[in-house]
């Protein structure tokens, strides 16, 4: 704690209006197995501190990995000097920080079995077994298993008087089977995108059974037909697939920094501008999106963000209408919000926090509806499972998505498997075409642990979720 | 090698008990000023260190990294990597670490760029903002400088060190509905002319002022180096010898065959001093002159040490990209086809079909429509679904080379029948 006090004291002595220090140790354990060959078995630690100083309407941020009083003081001074340089530019256009109270708190990801305490030999044996299951199928040329365990241990202090101890972690097993047949190659992936929980989740997944399923589906897929020319069809999207669709077409456009144009040079801006708040029909009336950084096992459930703002839950889209954004202390006041929604997050100690997507999910339908009933109610369409190709313009309007596994639906039945299916749509057409969402029994969370944004680039994590949903009259066809 | 790296290397050599090891040390110091909507929104600086140790006992491997270099941290590093290896299962594809190698002489670091005063960088930002304000526009972007050093030392006898600098400045101008961008990235600050960059940006913005709606179609395009660079990243990623030999890429069974357009060449080169060239890669493969594609024929693809040994090949890797251009100006290229588009940059490229090599992506930062040899107006952004190596068979002309990034020298290229499939609303 002495380094926290030292940095905060020095920042105040220098004349900072606000300052914080985040001491962060990040540990990653990675095991990558390909065709029974261990391509990577590693444990990586990054330990250091980042100090932010706010002065005259501008930020300065400096970081270091040397833990001495001298280094902490010098880094604080560097942050202050950088803030002063920034302020010389912002004289007539100052940043402002939304008010926030102080907190003395701690948070720890709830888990039963710490993945870092599970012997490596147990993990590798499981991975080998899963690899062997897939390679047991003739035609499977590549069996991959990628397992990452991640933890962040943070101490945070700010000039508001806040002192936080935050210990969060997540785990992500990903299994891929790739088949080669008649000059083509197709893969099928099991990947729930990571969860903030312990090793108990991995054991519950029954990955040997999942390996059998994806190996068989990879072989079906590589021999499957393509869809042919693009036509307007119905789409039924599973929760895993929808996780990525909502990430790109709802999550990013409702980050307030993009809305304000702060990502104009790199990650892009947003069509969902402030004059549309509370009146813009983003989706049909059954479409409700919630930002929720309190979600159980959510990857962005961290207790507090890197502004020292607690996790919250709020409607981003309510009954189809754009309701609010994900915001930070330095973006909230720009559009007259009274406080931040707690979405400022940094990846490593050396990253300055930026506005990030919260855990964001679509609420399930309110009427009883199963996926089987939804398929039975669809005459001509495509059912897409899992994530594939994804691309969206820099205003977050036009997009094209693929998937991981596809079934053609004819007259209420799964008619034949397909490969190389893509669909094209745009905001707000896509979410307004949503006419049915399965009920809460079918709601599933899916994580994203590699959300790239910012300069210098950072990768953030968050959880999405939904029940299977149907979208009408979408342009669906085969790739070239 | 600097004394700090030597001290770390000596500690590992003395204390590591493994049968084999590879030590990678990376150090960087950066200063990054980010601005948006005519003000500074982020501003950061600091050093980074990473010490990575990969070890093997027989063919059981393990790896660990830390970012401190005191003896306690290095002892933990060795203990962690060795413990993983001892507990691990044998790796059938393990090979002993890289041997001693003759490395090429390169000059990637510029002391003046390393020592560039942050106040000067902020001055540049201030000046660009003033210019944007003067034309009732906003500017957003980033000015950055980096000094980095890295070393690879192996039990097999490899010792390599490289230091490099980089200066970058990018900015996007927005005036009413027009958005356009310029970017500069080089190993030296010396060639950067901020006023000239802004003039280019301003001229690009002026050319985009009158915009008309265009529907997607197959049409000729002039891809400027910034756009070509984005395609090349993804195509290069697919050019992997092992993945191709095993049937996963479009390049399977195409070695030595005419597979690209006959006037398309792709090199990694040590001869061009304007492009960065790391003298070796993370496995210890020395960089050498490589013609990946020459007159459309695939001569080589990146091959790691294991696959090279198994297949009796020479290991090799990309270390920069050089596509030799021609002498056609944009004006001359526009006269070679009845109509077409000039593309400044692409955005959000992703693989649609890895086996076919098909990519999708959007245009960004300005699309110009030309007809009868003249620019007529700007058009909305478009989505493409295209196979880059197939597109090279439709190259009609090339312009002079430009530095697209610190590691890429590329020309503008005129392609026929580029496949646009959708449009957006701006």
């Amino acid at each position: 704690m002495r380094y926290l006090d030292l940095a905060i004291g020095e920042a105040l002595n220098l004349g900072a209006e606000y300052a914080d220090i985040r001491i962060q140790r990040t540990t990653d354990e990675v095991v990558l197995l390909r065709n029974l060959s261990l391509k990577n078995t590693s444990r990586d630690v990054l330990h250091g501190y980042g100090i932010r100083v706010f002065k005259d309407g501008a930020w300065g941020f400096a970081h270091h990995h040397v833990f001495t009083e001298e280094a902490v003081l010098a880094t604080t001074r560097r942050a202050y000097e950088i803030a002063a340089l920034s302020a010389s530019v912002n004289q007539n256009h100052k940043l402002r920080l939304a008010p926030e109270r102080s907190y003395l708190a701690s948070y720890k990801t709830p888990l039963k079995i710490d993945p870092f305490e599970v012997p490596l030999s147990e993990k590798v044996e499981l991975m080998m077994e899963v690899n062997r299951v897939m390679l047991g199928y003739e035609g499977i040329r590549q069996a991959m298993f990628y397992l990452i365990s991640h933890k962040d241990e943070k101490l945070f202090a700010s000039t508001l008087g806040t002192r936080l101890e935050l210990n969060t972690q997540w785990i992500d097993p990903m299994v891929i089977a790739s088949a080669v047949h008649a000059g083509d190659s197709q893969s099928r992936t099991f990947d729930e995108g990571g969860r903030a929980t312990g090793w108990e989740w991995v054991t519950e997944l029954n990955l040997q059974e999942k390996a059998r399923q994806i190996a068989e589906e990879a072989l079906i897929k590589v021999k499957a037909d393509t869809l042919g020319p693009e036509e307007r069809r119905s789409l039924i999207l599973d929760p895993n697939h929808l996780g990525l669709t909502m990430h790109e077409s709802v999550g990013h456009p409702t980050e307030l920094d993009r809305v304000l144009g702060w990502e104009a040079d790199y990650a892009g801006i947003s069509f969902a501008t402030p004059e549309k708040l509370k009146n813009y029909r983003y989706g049909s009336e059954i479409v409700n999106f919630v930002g929720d950084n309190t979600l159980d096992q959510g990857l962005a459930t961290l207790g507090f963000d890197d502004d020292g703002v607690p996790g919250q839950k709020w409607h981003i889209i309510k009954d189809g209408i754009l309701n609010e954004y994900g915001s930070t202390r330095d973006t909230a006041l720009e559009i007259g919000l009274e406080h931040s929604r707690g979405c400022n997050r940094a990846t490593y100690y050396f990253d300055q926090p930026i506005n990030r997507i919260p855990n964001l999910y679509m609420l399930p339908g309110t009427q009883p509806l199963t996926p089987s009933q939804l398929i039975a109610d669809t005459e001509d369409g495509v059912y897409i499972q899992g994530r594939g190709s994804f691309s969206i313009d820099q205003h977050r309007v036009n997009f094209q998505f693929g998937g991981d596994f596809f079934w053609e639906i004819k007259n209420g039945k799964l008619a034949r498997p397909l490969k190389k299916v893509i669909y094209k749509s745009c905001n707000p057409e896509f979410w307004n075409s949503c006419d049915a969402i399965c009920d809460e029994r079918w709601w599933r969370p899916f994580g994203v642990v590699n959300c790239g944004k910012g300069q210098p680039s950072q990768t953030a994590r968050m959880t999405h979720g939904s029940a299977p949903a149907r979208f009408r009259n979408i342009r669906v066809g085969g790739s070239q | 090698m600097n004394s700090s790296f030597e001290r770390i290397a000596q500690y590992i050599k003395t204390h590591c008990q493994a049968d084999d090891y590879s030590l990678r040390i990376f150090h960087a110091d950066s200063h990054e000023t980010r601005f948006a909507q005519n003000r500074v929104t982020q501003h950061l600086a600091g050093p980074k260190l990473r010490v990575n140790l990969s070890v093997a006992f027989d063919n059981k491997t393990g790896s660990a990294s830390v970012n401190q270099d005191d003896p306690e941290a290095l002892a933990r590093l060795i203990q962690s990597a060795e413990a993983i290896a001892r507990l691990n299962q044998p790796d059938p594809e393990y090979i002993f670490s890289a041997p001693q190698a003759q490395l090429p002489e390169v000059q990637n670091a510029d002391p003046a760029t390393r020592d560039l005063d942050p106040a000067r960088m902020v001055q540049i930002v201030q000046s660009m903002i003033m210019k944007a304000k003067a034309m009732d526009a906003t500017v957003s972007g980033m000015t950055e400088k980096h000094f980095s050093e890295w070393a690879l030392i192996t039990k097999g006898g490899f010792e390599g060190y490289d230091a490099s600098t980089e200066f970058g400045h990018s900015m996007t101008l927005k005036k009413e509905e027009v958005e356009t961008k310029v970017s500069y990235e080089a190993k030296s600050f010396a060639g950067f002319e901020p006023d000239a960059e802004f003039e280019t940006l301003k001229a690009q913005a002026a050319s985009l002022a009158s915009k008309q709606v265009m529907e997607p179609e197959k049409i000729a395009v002039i891809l400027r180096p910034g756009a070509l660079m984005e395609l090349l990243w993804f195509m290069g990623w697919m050019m992997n010898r092992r993945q191709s030999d095993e049937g996963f890429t479009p390049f399977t069974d195409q070695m030595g065959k005419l597979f690209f357009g006959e006037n398309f060449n792709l090199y990694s080169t040590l001869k061009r001093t304007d492009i960065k060239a790391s003298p070796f890669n993370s496995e210890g493969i020395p960089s050498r002159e490589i013609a990946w594609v020459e007159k459309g024929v695939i001569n080589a693809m990146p091959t790691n040490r294991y696959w090279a040994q198994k297949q009796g090949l020479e290991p090799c890797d990309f270390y920069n990209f050089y596509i030799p251009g021609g002498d056609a100006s944009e004006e001359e290229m526009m006269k070679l086809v009845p109509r077409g588009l000039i593309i400044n940059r692409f955005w959000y490229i992703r693989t649609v079909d890895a086996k076919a090599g098909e990519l999708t992506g959007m245009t960004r930062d300005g699309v110009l429509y030309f007809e009868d040899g003249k620019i007529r107006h700007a058009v909305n952004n478009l989505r493409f679904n295209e196979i880059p190596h197939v597109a090279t068979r439709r190259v009609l002309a090339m312009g002079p080379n430009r530095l697209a990034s610190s590691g890429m020298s590329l020309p503008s290229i005129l392609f026929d029948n580029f496949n646009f499939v959708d449009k957006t609303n701006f």
Side-chain angles (χ1 to χ4, degrees):
Chain A
M1 293 298 275
R2 70 192 163 107
Y3 293 133
L4 301 179
D5 294 335
L6 196 65
I8 294 303
E10 179 69 1
L12 289 171
N13 284 342
L14 290 166
E17 290 158 27
Y18 169 83
D20 58 41
I21 174 171
R22 174 172 39 94
I23 301 176
Q24 183 172 341
R25 181 203 301 269
T26 300
T27 308
D28 282 301
E29 185 189 83
V30 174
V31 188
L32 172 60
L33 182 70
R34 178 191 188 272
N35 290 358
L36 303 174
S37 167
L38 285 152
K39 309 318 294 178
N40 184 14
T41 316
S42 63
R43 184 178 281 223
D44 302 320
V45 179
L46 282 171
H47 189 200
Y49 49 91
I51 296 170
R52 284 195 308 177
V53 168
F54 191 78
K55 170 76 177 160
D56 291 334
W59 286 115
F61 177 80
H63 57 83
H64 215 298
H65 52 269
V66 171
F67 285 88
T68 62
E69 290 191 1
E70 188 183 26
V72 170
L73 289 171
T75 304
T76 310
R77 285 194 289 272
R78 194 172 189 189
Y80 182 84
E81 287 160 13
I82 292 169
L85 278 173
S86 309
S88 69
V89 178
N90 290 7
Q91 279 169 5
N92 301 317
H93 202 179
K94 295 181 177 182
L95 298 172
R96 293 178 300 151
L97 301 183
E100 190 55 58
R101 52 159 278 202
S102 62
Y103 299 88
L104 299 175
S106 63
Y107 178 80
K108 190 174 188 319
T109 301
L111 49 86
K112 289 180 186 160
I113 306 169
D114 185 345
F116 288 90
E117 299 299 321
V118 175
L120 177 69
S121 54
E122 187 179 324
K123 294 172 186 163
V124 172
E125 188 45 56
L126 168 71
M127 295 173 75
M128 288 277 185
E129 178 56 26
V130 168
N131 243 234
R132 282 188 207 102
V133 166
M134 292 190 283
L135 291 170
Y137 286 84
E138 193 178 339
I140 296 295
R141 288 275 188 88
Q142 183 170 263
M144 301 269 285
F145 195 141
Y146 182 72
L147 177 67
I148 181 161
S149 308
H150 176 104
K151 67 177 168 186
D152 287 308
E153 298 160 277
K154 284 186 201 175
L155 294 171
F156 175 94
S158 79
T159 50
L160 294 178
T162 293
R163 294 288 188 279
L164 302 172
E165 183 174 356
L166 309 171
N167 294 304
T168 56
Q169 60 190 94
W170 53 268
I171 185 163
D172 185 18
M174 180 166 71
V175 182
I176 308 171
S178 300
V180 174
H181 174 75
D184 194 13
S185 166
Q186 293 292 324
S187 296
R188 182 78 171 102
T189 301
F190 170 79
D191 179 18
E192 300 208 341
R195 237 178 238 194
T197 186
W199 183 252
E200 62 275 14
W201 178 52
V202 177
T203 57
E204 286 161 13
L205 286 170
N206 192 357
L207 289 170
Q208 289 93 335
E209 188 50 42
K210 297 283 192 307
R212 267 185 274 282
Q213 182 189 341
I214 65 163
E216 287 166 10
E217 290 181 351
L219 290 166
I220 291 170
K221 188 178 169 188
V222 77
K223 295 170 187 167
D225 296 331
T226 53
L227 186 58
E230 181 179 293
E231 286 179 23
R232 295 248 173 206
R233 294 179 165 96
S234 293
L235 271 182
I236 295 178
L237 302 177
D238 84 346
N240 191 341
H241 180 92
L242 270 171
L244 189 55
T245 315
M246 72 179 67
H247 179 92
E248 301 293 347
S249 66
V250 181
H252 282 310
T254 56
E255 291 168 322
L256 186 49
D257 66 338
R258 287 190 196 244
V259 172
L260 296 170
W262 290 13
E263 286 285 341
D265 187 57
Y266 184 63
I269 58 176
S270 174
F271 74 96
T273 40
E275 77 282 2
K276 296 186 174 84
L277 279 173
K278 314 285 185 193
N279 63 63
Y280 180 75
R281 181 150 292 287
Y282 207 116
S284 62
E285 286 184 359
I286 61 171
V287 170
N288 285 279
F289 278 98
V290 172
D292 183 1
N293 285 339
T294 66
L295 177 71
D296 184 34
Q297 299 190 348
L299 292 164
T301 302
L302 308 169
F304 290 78
D305 75 351
D306 293 325
D307 271 339
V309 176
Q312 298 163 52
K313 182 176 178 180
W314 71 105
H315 264 88
I316 286 181
I317 293 173
K318 190 169 174 48
D319 302 328
I321 302 295
L322 177 64
N323 187 62
E324 206 186 316
Y325 301 114
S327 54
T328 62
R329 287 192 70 205
D330 59 4
T331 56
L333 293 179
E334 297 284 325
I335 61 162
L337 297 175
E338 290 176 0
H339 63 93
S340 161
R341 283 298 188 182
C343 295
N344 215 18
R345 307 203 295 277
T347 304
Y348 298 110
Y349 75 85
F350 50 70
D351 290 316
Q352 183 169 351
I354 55 174
N355 201 155
R356 286 303 200 161
I357 301 174
N359 296 319
L360 172 80
Y361 51 83
M362 184 163 72
L363 295 180
T366 53
Q367 303 299 316
L369 181 65
T370 70
S372 302
Q373 289 170 326
L374 189 57
I375 290 165
D377 184 49
T378 304
E379 286 208 351
D380 178 20
V382 175
Y383 175 39
I384 301 183
Q385 296 172 294
R387 300 171 187 177
S389 175
F390 54 101
S391 172
I392 187 164
D393 71 44
Q394 87 267 23
H395 291 192
R396 301 275 151 180
V397 176
N398 174 289
F399 51 85
Q400 177 180 299
F401 282 88
D404 196 43
F405 200 58
F406 315 92
W407 285 93
E408 185 173 30
I409 302 170
K410 284 287 181 194
N411 301 318
K413 290 195 168 61
L414 298 179
R416 57 171 178 152
L418 297 167
K419 64 182 174 186
K420 304 185 181 186
V421 175
I422 51 176
Y423 66 91
K424 302 185 186 81
S425 191
C426 60
N427 270 318
E429 172 194 271
F430 181 77
W431 293 103
N432 273 287
S433 75
C434 181
D435 78 334
I437 306 172
C438 292
D439 65 60
E440 62 185 351
R441 291 170 295 167
W442 310 97
W443 190 95
R444 300 282 183 277
F446 286 91
V448 172
V449 295
N450 58 353
C451 172
K453 183 182 170 185
Q455 287 177 305
S457 183
Q458 300 185 41
T459 53
R461 60 191 198 253
M462 62 289 295
T463 293
H464 302 301
S466 74
R470 184 172 60 196
F471 300 81
R472 295 288 201 186
N473 209 24
I474 303 294
R475 289 173 292 153
V476 189
S479 58
Q480 281 194 50
Chain B
M1 201 179 306
N2 68 38
S3 58
S4 166
F5 281 22
E6 280 175 358
R7 184 177 48 75
I8 296 169
Q10 192 54 48
Y11 188 95
I12 301 298
K13 279 179 193 172
T14 307
H15 294 87
C16 182
Q17 301 296 310
D19 299 337
D20 186 17
Y21 69 80
S22 296
L23 171 68
R24 297 172 186 86
I25 313 168
F26 173 81
H27 171 260
D29 199 83
S30 301
H31 195 108
E32 291 150 314
T33 309
R34 199 169 191 215
F35 53 103
Q37 309 301 315
N38 294 347
R39 58 182 163 171
V40 174
T41 52
Q42 276 180 267
H43 199 163
L44 56 158
K48 288 178 191 165
L49 176 71
R50 185 169 186 260
V51 185
N52 169 261
L53 181 67
S54 301
V55 303
F57 289 100
D58 194 7
N59 60 348
K60 298 199 300 186
T61 61
S63 172
S65 299
V66 293
N67 68 328
Q68 264 97 26
D69 60 359
D70 56 90
E72 292 78 17
L74 296 177
R76 280 199 307 275
L77 174 71
I78 294 171
Q79 192 275 333
S80 181
E82 290 187 352
I84 291 169
R86 286 182 201 278
L87 287 168
N88 218 343
Q89 298 212 14
D91 179 5
E93 296 185 0
Y94 162 76
I95 56 169
F96 201 73
S97 60
Q100 186 177 14
Q102 184 72 36
L103 299 175
E105 289 284 326
V106 296
Q107 186 50 263
N108 290 324
D110 168 47
T113 302
R114 181 193 60 203
D115 299 334
L116 181 63
D117 184 358
R120 170 74 183 117
M121 294 165 66
V122 171
Q123 215 174 47
I124 291 167
V125 170
Q126 175 81 288
S127 144
M128 297 299 104
I129 289 173
M130 302 268 282
K131 285 174 185 286
K133 281 182 175 170
M135 54 185 286
D136 288 327
T138 60
V139 69
S140 306
M142 181 145 120
T143 301
E144 58 191 308
K145 66 151 186 171
H146 307 275
F147 170 67
S148 54
E149 311 166 88
W150 83 284
L152 172 66
I153 300 110
T154 72
K155 180 102 171 181
F158 184 95
E159 281 201 16
Y161 168 84
D162 184 36
S164 66
T165 52
E166 189 162 292
F167 174 80
H169 176 90
S170 68
M171 53 185 169
T172 295
L173 187 84
K174 185 157 177 27
K175 183 173 168 60
E176 293 157 3
E177 295 307 307
V178 172
E179 274 175 274
T180 189
K181 173 172 177 169
V182 292
S183 63
Y184 178 93
E185 187 189 299
K187 57 188 179 185
S188 166
F189 171 70
F192 179 64
E193 295 175 21
D195 291 344
E197 286 287 307
F198 196 87
E199 285 308 307
T200 304
L201 188 65
K202 204 169 151 184
Q204 279 180 201
S207 73
L208 298 167
S210 146
K211 187 159 80 177
Q212 293 187 16
V213 173
M214 179 167 174
E215 296 299 323
E217 61 174 291
K218 284 190 177 177
I219 189 169
V221 291
I222 297 170
L223 298 189
R224 286 175 170 161
L228 188 61
M229 174 178 73
E230 303 280 346
L231 282 185
L232 206 53
W233 276 122
F234 281 83
M235 193 182 77
W237 176 71
M238 284 187 252
M239 286 182 72
N240 176 286
R241 181 64 189 260
R242 180 175 186 175
Q243 287 286 298
S244 299
D245 288 350
E246 293 183 338
F248 301 116
T249 83
F251 307 107
T252 301
D253 297 329
Q254 298 304 325
M255 281 297 297
K257 296 180 185 170
L258 183 67
F259 197 58
F260 289 77
E262 284 186 65
N263 53 356
F264 183 79
N265 300 285
L266 175 63
Y267 302 95
S268 287
T269 182
L270 297 155
K271 291 177 183 164
R272 292 192 62 106
T273 53
D274 56 333
I275 328 175
K276 259 190 190 175
S278 179
F280 56 94
N281 82 346
S282 61
E283 261 201 306
I285 299 173
S287 298
R288 57 188 164 86
E289 291 298 313
I290 300 182
W292 305 104
V293 179
E294 202 154 40
K295 294 181 179 170
V297 174
I298 307 181
N299 286 330
M301 282 188 270
T303 310
N304 67 24
R305 292 181 61 243
Y306 166 74
W307 197 247
Q309 182 175 287
K310 186 174 166 68
Q311 302 294 327
L313 303 165
E314 189 77 11
C316 55
D317 201 359
F318 290 128
Y319 56 89
N320 61 26
F321 286 107
Y322 171 54
I323 295 176
D327 53 9
S329 66
E330 278 190 358
E331 288 70 26
E332 288 166 332
M333 286 193 229
M334 283 192 280
K335 289 175 185 160
L336 294 175
V337 289
R339 54 200 283 279
L341 300 172
I342 298 174
I343 309 294
N344 205 33
R345 196 175 293 269
F346 286 130
W347 160 251
Y348 222 126
I349 297 178
R350 288 292 182 274
T351 305
V352 172
D353 183 345
K355 180 60 188 168
E358 183 181 354
L359 305 176
T360 189
M362 298 293 300
T363 62
R364 180 173 176 169
D365 303 320
V367 183
L368 294 167
Y369 175 78
F370 65 86
E371 196 173 322
D372 298 330
K374 286 189 177 153
I375 292 170
R376 301 295 172 179
H377 51 78
V379 298
N380 46 271
N381 284 295
L382 295 156
R383 171 174 300 287
F384 70 87
N385 282 354
E386 182 59 272
I387 301 172
H389 68 267
V390 173
T392 65
R393 300 170 194 160
R394 305 192 299 266
V395 170
L396 299 176
M398 294 195 198
N401 278 72
R402 260 191 50 203
L403 206 57
S405 73
S406 59
M408 284 198 194
S409 174
L410 308 176
S412 290
I413 298 185
L414 172 63
F415 293 89
D416 205 5
N417 286 328
F418 206 80
N419 187 37
F420 291 104
V421 296
D422 203 3
K423 70 173 197 292
T424 190
N425 67 354
F426 60 93

